[in-house]
Amino acid sequence: MSADNAEAPSGHIVLEYQLDAPPEKVWRAISVPGLRDVWLPDAALADPEPTVVAPGEAIRYRMREDEPPFIESAVTFRIAFNDCGGTCLRVIHELAAPSIERMTKPANSNAPSMLRAA
């Protein structure tokens, strides 16, 4: 197994791994809840069900931090055959778009967010 940092857009982390295992085995590890839970537990996910599934190719999960401000992100796993007969696993972790509430409310404010009319 080897890992390479691929070029990533701002706010994204992209890791690429070359695995000896066949793509079918890697797909099971990232898509079957009982197997996935060993290394990506349900507690780290905003929803244990994937938001996007392209069977045998890609799967995406929503994640949420367990401490305030409970920032959400998405992690996408893409798999493909590599030249050695194994699997290329690409992990793309991206922050969710910041909400208006987070951008307009001061960190020490307990008041609800309100927008002013111009």
Side-chain angles (χ1 to χ4, degrees), residues 19 23-33 35-37 39-40 45 48 50 54 56-61 76-79 87 89-91:
L19 307 171
E24 299 81 23
K25 188 172 184 178
V26 176
W27 178 254
R28 284 180 33 88
I30 62 177
S31 64
V32 174
L35 300 174
R36 187 218 63 234
D37 195 49
W39 56 274
L40 183 60
L45 301 174
E57 296 177 14
I59 191 164
R60 175 182 283 198
Y61 297 99
T76 304
F77 301 94
R78 295 186 182 276
I79 64 171
T87 304
L89 172 65
R90 183 173 247 196
V91 181

Side-chain angles (χ1 to χ4, degrees), residues 105-112:
K105 189 160 90 172
N108 61 352
S109 173
N110 290 329

Side-chain angles (χ1 to χ4, degrees), residues 8-79:
S10 179
H12 292 48
I13 298 171
V14 179
L15 299 171
E16 193 169 283
Y17 298 92
Q18 302 302 322
L19 307 171
D20 295 333
E24 299 81 23
K25 188 172 184 178
V26 176
W27 178 254
R28 284 180 33 88
I30 62 177
S31 64
V32 174
L35 300 174
R36 187 218 63 234
D37 195 49
V38 171
W39 56 274
L40 183 60
D42 284 346
L45 301 174
D47 183 1
E49 294 299 316
T51 58
V52 175
V53 178
E57 296 177 14
I59 191 164
R60 175 182 283 198
Y61 297 99
R62 283 184 33 236
M63 300 181 74
R64 180 180 359 216
E65 290 184 1
D66 59 350
E67 295 181 11
F70 304 109
I71 296 172
E72 287 200 13
S73 61
V75 64
T76 304
F77 301 94
R78 295 186 182 276
I79 64 171

